[in-house]
Amino acid sequence: MPSFSRRDLLKYGTIATGSLILPAVYGSRAIAGSISPRVRPFTLPFRVTPVLAPKKRSGNRDYYEITMRKTRVEILPGYQTEVWAYNGLVPGPTIYQTAGRESIIRFINQLGNIDTSVHLHGMAALPQYDGYANDVSRPGYYKDYYYPNNRAASLWYHDHAVHHTARNTFMGLAGIYIVQNQTELNLPLPKGKYDVPLCLQDKLFFSNGQLNYDNQGTKGVNGDVILVNGVPWPVMQVERRKYRFRLLNGSAARSYRIFLSNGDPMTIIGTDAGLVQTPVEVRNFRIGMAERYEFVIDFAKYPIGTQIVLRNNNPSNNDEFDNTHLIMRFDVTANATDTSNNTIPSYLREVRVFTPQEIRNARVREWRFERNNGLWRINGRSWNPNRVEANPGLGDIEVWRLYNNGGGWFHPVHVHLVDLQVLSRNGQAPFAYERGWKDVFYVGENEDVRVITQFLPHRGKYMMHCHNVDHEDFDMMIQWEVGQGGPNPLGAPPQPWNPSIPTPI
Ligand code: C2O
Ligand code: CU
Ligand code: CU
């Protein structure tokens, strides 16, 4: 078990009243006093993150440019916080792209002394553009990343530098990337300002307002301030109609169980890798780090003046602070000004069903996510770019069994390249809301999750890891490979940056 940390002392110090209080250990459900400077929940306005337009278009290619730099932003009112930002924004700018077009994004590292590697999470990129952990851009270097945009989904881009993913993403290097296709756009689902990305993150600050990357010795950072799109506990004014929310858990180590304060249901319409086949009504759902769930709330039934809080019923093994049970508030302030695209179709899209025969014939691999001599491991292994732990052939269907033999932690497991489906959870049917294409699987305390996929569309070496980014860094990550002879993940190395370098299109 992790030992009594400085932070436990700090936080329990604030509630100690002279009696001996036992130190917090993993699994504690005690509510601790906050450490960061105080912000009253629901005092700041909601905002959507600015959208990045391409700098250039040519044929079916769009060229974007993102510079990574240290900058200062106001997150806590009255404090200027240093962040590591994509184009000066935390979260980074949102990118909207159309399936079938190709994106080329030039990421320029001007962070001074920080190495980066950019991963577009959910994109089937070639190995050399997948943010391979060891493919780092040194400060003063840039790299052009090519993305095929082959499927419609809510993705996100974030740093993936070897052993520094947790720190780099915690400091701000994360943003949302949405791919849409015509089939989806033709559905009467909420669009435009009624289709709202939500990047949910918790952060911890020092009393001077600077970010406090305290990973509690590889357990992971649990913040006491909940941000949505970079704003602590914002208030969003909504009209009396339906809204589509694309929720990303962009936290380092915190999972959430989401519900509405009035107990009303939400309608899940999408998972990590796009729309589900049929909508699912839920009263709450669990979301681990890097997972995405898309849901619709219909505010039409509430009178103007209604306030509804999006709340969190902390799943186990998350540190709870005074206000970590709150996320944001919806204030119903107006009648609908636009009632088009205000329907949830009962059928959203076809999601492949793996046949009993395909499942029976699939090769099964077992992956044990464990703590081993104080380190995070997968089948006893840690990250080694020179080793390949599994080698499915191109087009093969396999079942991967992901299991957690510990009760003191949970692991949201992410597989690069492919979208997969949950076959079973602890021998039972998957949760109704996780029946869709996904790339992250919440492997909770002592849980056992079987997932299935077909290994397409590229050959090559890819990563699998826990998306508690501190677990990932220390060292719950392995490499696997589709087929033989795929492109070298280090085959398109970053180059020294110079502003006179022409754009690639
Ligand atoms: Cu979202 Cu390998 O990461
Ligand atoms: Cu990924
Ligand atoms: Cu983990």
Side-chain angles (χ1 to χ4, degrees):
M1 294 303 252
S3 56
F4 192 78
S5 72
R6 178 175 56 79
R7 171 138 163 251
D8 294 327
L9 278 168
L10 261 176
K11 69 189 192 194
Y12 283 84
T14 64
I15 55 166
T17 53
S19 57
L20 179 68
I21 290 179
L22 288 172
V25 291
Y26 232 166
S28 160
R29 291 192 61 93
I31 297 178
S34 294
I35 299 166
S36 304
R38 288 296 184 144
V39 186
R40 277 234 321 280
F42 316 135
T43 52
L44 296 166
F46 174 82
R47 62 162 188 246
V48 292
T49 305
V51 173
L52 182 67
K55 265 198 132 168
K56 221 168 146 182
R57 293 173 185 271
S58 152
N60 76 330
R61 290 179 149 190
D62 296 319
Y63 169 76
Y64 302 83
E65 213 170 85
I66 294 184
T67 302
M68 299 175 273
R69 241 192 221 107
K70 297 181 180 178
T71 181
R72 286 179 170 254
V73 296
E74 184 172 301
I75 300 170
L76 307 168
Y79 293 88
Q80 289 293 313
T81 302
E82 182 185 295
V83 292
W84 303 352
Y86 293 120
N87 280 0
L89 297 168
V90 171
T94 302
I95 294 175
Y96 282 89
Q97 183 54 289
T98 307
R101 297 189 64 78
E102 186 178 29
S103 309
I104 304 165
I105 309 184
R106 175 167 292 175
F107 282 96
I108 305 164
N109 181 353
Q110 302 280 36
L111 284 161
N113 54 353
I114 304 299
D115 291 353
T116 60
S117 174
V118 185
H119 173 52
L120 179 48
H121 180 135
M123 181 65 69
L126 288 167
Q128 65 274 39
Y129 304 119
D130 194 45
Y132 192 71
N134 297 73
D135 182 32
V136 292
S137 295
R138 311 278 329 278
Y141 280 64
Y142 80 100
K143 174 160 171 159
D144 294 337
Y145 289 80
Y146 288 73
Y147 301 121
N149 301 305
N150 39 4
R151 46 205 183 200
S154 304
L155 319 182
W156 63 306
Y157 59 101
H158 63 77
D159 199 67
H160 217 300
V162 64
H163 300 310
H164 293 292
T165 295
R167 182 199 61 187
N168 291 2
T169 54
F170 182 78
M171 292 302 291
L173 295 172
I176 288 178
Y177 184 109
I178 292 169
V179 183
Q180 300 178 299
N181 66 18
Q182 210 43 56
T183 328
E184 181 172 338
L185 287 169
N186 288 342
L187 296 172
L189 288 167
K191 291 184 178 52
K193 66 173 176 173
Y194 306 114
D195 174 357
V196 187
L198 305 175
C199 175
L200 171 61
Q201 297 172 309
D202 60 326
K203 299 282 182 203
L204 188 71
F205 297 83
F206 291 108
S207 56
N208 65 1
Q210 297 311 307
L211 284 168
N212 179 357
Y213 170 59
D214 178 356
N215 63 358
Q216 306 187 72
T218 78
K219 171 186 164 179
V221 196
N222 266 218
D224 55 6
V225 178
I226 304 292
L227 307 179
V228 179
N229 297 344
V231 180
W233 300 285
V235 176
M236 181 183 182
Q237 304 199 341
V238 295
E239 298 175 9
R240 299 182 60 232
R241 56 154 290 148
K242 291 190 178 72
Y243 284 71
R244 171 181 184 167
F245 295 100
R246 302 173 184 254
L247 179 67
L248 158 70
N249 180 356
S251 303
R254 182 180 292 285
S255 67
Y256 305 78
R257 184 173 290 280
I258 304 288
F259 67 103
L260 296 175
S261 56
N262 61 5
D264 279 356
M266 299 160 274
T267 307
I268 300 273
I269 58 165
T271 50
D272 307 335
L275 294 176
V276 294
Q277 187 161 301
T278 53
V280 182
E281 280 219 339
V282 296
R283 293 203 183 263
N284 64 73
F285 62 93
R286 183 173 71 171
I287 183 167
M289 296 79 81
E291 283 188 288
R292 288 88 73 204
Y293 282 108
E294 301 191 19
F295 57 95
V296 172
I297 301 178
D298 190 357
F299 297 102
K301 53 184 179 286
Y302 305 120
I304 288 175
T306 307
Q307 299 183 333
I308 302 165
V309 176
L310 191 68
R311 293 191 51 157
N312 166 33
N313 180 358
N314 285 279
S316 43
N317 295 305
N318 288 286
D319 291 345
E320 290 181 52
F321 297 93
D322 299 348
N323 291 319
T324 46
H325 60 296
L326 305 173
I327 295 172
M328 64 184 286
R329 196 176 76 199
F330 303 107
D331 286 6
V332 182
T333 54
N335 287 320
T337 53
D338 177 352
T339 50
S340 62
N341 297 309
N342 197 25
T343 307
I344 310 174
S346 57
Y347 183 89
L348 297 167
R349 68 156 171 170
E350 186 179 345
V351 171
R352 173 177 182 174
V353 178
F354 288 91
T355 65
Q357 190 184 348
E358 284 173 324
I359 297 171
R360 219 172 24 246
N361 293 342
R363 170 165 187 169
V364 178
R365 295 185 203 264
E366 308 252 336
W367 303 101
R368 187 176 65 253
F369 291 78
E370 62 191 349
R371 191 163 171 90
N372 200 323
N373 292 323
L375 291 163
W376 303 107
R377 293 284 181 257
I378 304 173
N379 290 355
R381 303 286 208 196
S382 56
W383 176 243
N384 180 346
N386 299 316
R387 213 165 47 207
V388 169
E389 307 291 354
N391 186 212
L394 185 68
D396 285 3
I397 296 175
E398 295 197 354
V399 170
W400 286 12
R401 176 174 170 244
L402 315 170
Y403 68 102
N404 175 358
N405 55 1
W409 39 78
F410 59 93
H411 304 296
V413 174
H414 173 43
V415 185
H416 282 230
L417 178 70
V418 284
D419 297 335
L420 313 91
Q421 292 178 19
V422 184
L423 281 180
S424 69
R425 182 174 280 285
N426 309 319
Q428 312 283 307
F431 303 137
Y433 60 80
E434 65 181 352
R435 290 169 173 279
W437 288 113
K438 289 180 63 47
D439 55 39
V440 182
F441 303 93
Y442 198 116
V443 186
E445 296 76 4
N446 294 303
E447 284 197 308
D448 178 334
V449 182
R450 283 164 64 247
V451 299
I452 188 165
T453 193
Q454 181 167 27
F455 287 86
L456 290 170
H458 309 301
R459 292 188 167 79
K461 295 184 174 121
Y462 290 94
M463 300 173 279
M464 171 169 72
H465 57 87
C466 175
H467 224 293
N468 175 320
V469 275
D470 277 289
H471 296 186
E472 170 187 339
D473 283 341
F474 300 100
D475 219 22
M476 194 174 253
M477 179 158 85
I478 55 104
Q479 172 167 264
W480 52 280
E481 182 173 12
V482 181
Q484 307 278 332
N488 177 358
L490 298 171
Q495 301 295 324
W497 170 242
N498 159 354
S500 64
I501 292 170
T503 70
I505 60 170

